[in-house]
């Protein structure tokens, strides 16, 4: 793709402002802190898109916590993608056996990635396993996922910003938006 220097200018519509995101992250942190009071959490974030959300959410949680990072990628090609096959590019650094684990995701679309991840992490025998996603696009869901914490439910649009990319660019925008159509056609 052609990367422009005017990242914010490439966005046609802002879906979530920086202020909306920060206010919601604070609410999620407070809710998680209340629900899990008295426990030590392990946050497992899924690179790379969840990075800003993880950084903000962990500081909004008032509990002792550990963090770990995984990176996964879907196998290329429509057929294999729809089978939910996921490749682990980076695995957990430490055991989560007996831990109270919270998966921190950027966005749930078809749900295939998270479905794989949940099954994989359950196999590691955590004491509990919960899911927190910043964004949920239920319109395209192919597998049912029990989400414990959702930041925002959004329509079926391809969004960028606050960690989310198009061609690896736009992750550093502080808001979430939809790119102008001409950005895609230039790619
Ligand atoms: P799923 O397996 O739920 O279909 O896809 C989840 C992954 O697809 C996300 O972690 C993200 O990498 C990518 N994805 C899904 N929807 C969007 C979107 O609207 N924008 C961006 N940038 N990535 C998306």
């Amino acid at each position: 793709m052609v990367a422009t220097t005017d990242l914010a200018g490439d966005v046609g519509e802002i879906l979530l402002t920086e202020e909306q995101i920060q206010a919601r992250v604070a609410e999620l942190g407070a809710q998680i802190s209340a629900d899990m009071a008295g426990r030590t959490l392990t946050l497992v974030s899924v690179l790379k898109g969840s990075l800003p959300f993880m950084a903000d959410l962990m500081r909004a949680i008032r509990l002792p916590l550990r963090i770990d990072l995984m990176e996964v990628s879907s196998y290329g090609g429509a057929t294999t993608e729809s089978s939910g096959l996921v490749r682990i590019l980076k695995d957990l650094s430490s055991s989560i056996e007996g831990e109270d684990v919270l998966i921190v995701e950027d966005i749930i679309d078809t749900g295939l990635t998270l479905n794989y991840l949940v099954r994989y992490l359950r196999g590691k025998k955590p004491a509990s396993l919960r899911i927190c996603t910043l964004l949920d696009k239920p319109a395209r869901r192919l597998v049912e996922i029990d989400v414990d914490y959702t930041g925002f439910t959004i329509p079926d649009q391809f969004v960028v910003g606050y960690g989310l990319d198009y061609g690896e660019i736009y992750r550093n925008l502080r808001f979430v938006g939809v790119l102008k159509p001409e950005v895609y056609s230039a790619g």
Side-chain angles (χ1 to χ4, degrees):
M1 69 167 288
V2 181
T4 72
T5 49
D6 184 12
L7 296 180
D10 287 350
V11 174
E13 185 198 350
I14 294 179
L15 279 189
L16 303 167
T17 64
E18 178 178 0
E19 291 72 24
Q20 284 175 306
I21 295 170
Q22 291 306 324
R24 187 69 186 120
V25 170
E27 284 175 2
L28 289 171
Q31 167 119 47
I32 293 165
S33 306
D35 292 352
M36 307 295 282
R39 303 201 232 175
T40 298
L41 282 183
T42 300
L43 305 188
V44 174
S45 166
V46 189
L47 295 170
K48 305 169 193 165
S50 306
L51 205 55
F53 181 42
M54 175 71 151
D56 288 341
L57 183 67
M58 64 185 273
R59 289 176 292 176
I61 296 175
R62 306 278 172 232
L63 296 175
L65 59 81
R66 304 184 185 92
I67 63 167
D68 210 334
L69 304 168
M70 287 188 71
E71 185 170 5
V72 299
S73 82
S74 296
Y75 280 107
T79 323
T80 45
E81 257 173 40
S82 63
S83 70
L85 282 175
V86 174
R87 192 156 49 116
I88 295 178
L89 302 177
K90 189 214 166 294
D91 207 340
L92 296 171
S93 304
S94 310
S95 165
I96 54 165
E97 190 172 340
E99 304 286 326
D100 289 305
V101 173
L102 180 70
I103 301 176
V104 179
E105 255 290 22
D106 50 359
I107 187 164
I108 307 176
D109 189 16
T110 63
L112 292 171
T113 308
L114 201 52
N115 187 51
Y116 172 87
L117 209 64
V118 165
R119 281 186 286 136
Y120 179 77
L121 293 176
R122 279 217 182 102
K124 307 264 176 203
K125 301 188 169 50
S128 66
L129 186 61
R130 293 183 183 213
I131 297 170
C132 178
T133 186
L134 178 72
L135 304 175
D136 186 11
K137 275 203 293 200
R140 280 169 35 96
R141 193 75 92 254
L142 293 177
V143 284
E144 202 183 315
I145 303 263
D146 247 340
V147 182
D148 300 281
Y149 305 99
T150 301
F152 302 92
T153 300
I154 62 168
D156 184 14
Q157 284 176 298
F158 188 83
V159 293
V160 299
Y162 198 64
L164 291 157
D165 73 306
Y166 173 60
E168 293 297 327
I169 309 295
Y170 303 102
R171 295 192 196 275
N172 52 333
L173 291 174
R174 292 175 171 272
F175 52 82
V176 169
V178 182
L179 290 174
K180 291 174 181 165
E182 55 264 34
V183 179
Y184 297 110
S185 46

